[in-house]
Amino acid sequence: MTTIRLLAHDPDGDHVHCRFGQAASGECASCSQNPAFRLSENMCTLHIINTTSIGAHVFELVIEDFPKQMISLTYEDGTSSVRLLFSQNTDNNTAALSKLPLQFAIEILPPLSTCDLGILIPQFLPPTPSHGDMFHVTAGQEFQFHVKAQATQGIKRIYDFQISGPPNLIKHVYNNTSGILQARISWMPEERELYHRIPICYAAETTESQSEMRCIIVAVERFHSRSGEADVVCTENTMTISLNKSSIRGLHESHLRLNDPSCTLTSNESHVLATVSLNSCGTQLEICRYIYIIRLYMKVF
């Protein structure tokens, strides 16, 4: 069974749900649902479960988001409404916070002698980012990532990567040996893209097949340099920082990040807290005249 993962992302962390468009709501033109495909609505994935005809197949979906806890919405005219958790909804079509139409086509290619990845069908290799990975970048500073894929057999091996994203993406393809092709993707985010979350999708291609599609999300932020009052406690292996919220008035804690986005911050009513290893999360160690200086930076965006 072949699985096609759609990039369904909500910046607020709401529950994202995908469904087929409904004719009664004017959400689709043909509104046909191919029986060879099954849509996992909560995961936003398409599964090819039966043999289907070669060629293009059109899909008309709707992506919706729902709160993860009950919320009350107030509108400009003074009216209000309540939005429930997705599992509590009896009419999901009207209870969503928002909905977005998504139309696309999937091309079914002729059958191959094997469906094992890395032979005829390209397989991604490290350091290719995983589907759904998020990167935080600064406007005006170049962002780069690398993709690498392998297909060892076939008349024509991998010849290119198809890239979809912002218009000023630059792709440099290199090292086409032993069925392996690599590419460096670079992008310079601009001020007009500040605070936007930009998807970049990519797939490796041969003349016979295509790899899975992967997509990453790039959050464009602004770099700020600002100081605050903090208490620091060091042990042999860790460092704990307690940043006083009153010393950074005007900044919300959700706008703070460590240099390493995989490391997270916590908070209480009065402080923003971080406990990190001395050799992770962007920690820098300097030795100056037998004095150890440990630096850990937080980004504000």
Side-chain angles (χ1 to χ4, degrees):
M1 180 174 67
T2 300
T3 298
I4 301 169
R5 298 178 294 178
L6 307 176
L7 180 65
H9 170 76
D10 185 271
D12 301 320
D14 294 329
H15 173 78
V16 179
H17 179 262
C18 299
R19 60 175 174 82
F20 286 104
Q22 299 177 357
S25 302
E27 297 172 337
C28 48
S30 65
C31 299
S32 61
Q33 298 181 19
N34 192 319
F37 293 83
R38 185 182 74 239
L39 175 64
S40 295
E41 297 184 342
N42 285 330
M43 299 299 294
C44 288
T45 55
L46 275 171
H47 306 278
I48 305 177
I49 57 176
N50 292 313
T51 302
T52 186
S53 58
I54 295 173
H57 299 267
V58 176
F59 294 85
E60 298 171 293
L61 304 184
V62 174
I63 300 179
E64 302 171 315
D65 66 319
F66 297 85
K68 291 187 175 180
Q69 61 184 8
M70 187 179 71
I71 62 174
S72 178
L73 302 178
T74 303
Y75 306 99
E76 291 183 353
D77 60 2
T79 61
S80 62
S81 64
V82 173
R83 292 292 186 268
L84 305 177
L85 296 175
F86 176 75
S87 59
Q88 296 174 315
N89 291 319
T90 55
D91 185 0
N92 295 328
N93 187 39
T94 59
L97 291 172
S98 63
K99 60 181 181 179
L100 181 70
L102 176 65
Q103 294 93 30
F104 58 94
I106 295 176
E107 183 182 8
I108 302 298
L109 300 175
L112 301 172
S113 59
T114 177
C115 290
D116 293 338
L117 297 179
I119 301 177
L120 296 179
I121 300 176
Q123 179 182 29
F124 281 122
L125 304 174
T128 309
S130 299
H131 181 75
D133 280 356
M134 175 173 286
F135 296 85
H136 296 268
V137 303
T138 301
Q141 295 184 10
E142 187 180 65
F143 164 67
Q144 290 187 359
F145 68 98
H146 293 77
V147 294
K148 182 178 180 181
Q150 172 181 275
T152 58
Q153 296 182 16
I155 300 174
K156 297 291 185 181
R157 297 179 180 177
I158 302 173
Y159 68 90
D160 199 5
F161 292 96
Q162 292 297 323
I163 310 291
S164 173
N168 53 341
L169 277 176
I170 298 175
K171 175 180 65 176
H172 174 67
V173 179
Y174 59 96
N175 194 24
N176 188 2
T177 59
S178 302
I180 295 177
L181 189 67
Q182 302 184 63
R184 181 179 67 250
I185 314 300
S186 59
W187 176 52
M188 180 71 75
E190 302 175 358
E191 283 288 321
R192 60 186 174 87
E193 290 149 333
L194 195 61
Y195 307 125
H196 289 188
R197 299 196 176 195
I198 310 295
I200 300 176
C201 300
Y202 43 90
E205 285 198 326
T206 73
T207 57
E208 302 171 299
S209 63
Q210 187 181 71
S211 71
E212 63 169 327
M213 180 184 69
R214 290 188 183 182
C215 298
I216 62 173
I217 301 165
V218 183
V220 183
E221 304 160 356
R222 188 192 298 280
F223 177 77
H224 296 275
S225 179
R226 186 166 176 175
S227 61
E229 298 177 2
D231 294 323
V232 180
V233 177
C234 293
T235 67
E236 183 178 351
N237 300 312
T238 64
M239 176 172 59
T240 299
I241 300 175
S242 300
L243 176 62
N244 194 327
K245 289 183 180 179
S246 63
S247 68
I248 53 170
R249 295 188 185 279
L251 291 179
H252 194 273
E253 60 194 78
S254 62
H255 288 174
L256 294 174
R257 295 282 190 277
L258 294 175
N259 269 356
D260 185 343
S262 66
C263 299
T264 59
L265 301 172
T266 59
S267 66
N268 55 32
E269 293 183 359
S270 59
H271 289 80
V272 178
L273 309 171
T275 298
V276 300
S277 168
L278 297 183
N279 57 4
S280 66
C281 299
T283 306
Q284 299 176 5
L285 178 63
E286 299 178 12
I287 302 177
C288 181
R289 294 184 180 180
Y290 308 106
I291 298 175
Y292 287 83
I293 301 174
I294 303 172
R295 303 181 190 273
L296 179 66
Y297 295 94
M298 291 184 184
K299 290 183 178 180
V300 182
F301 62 94

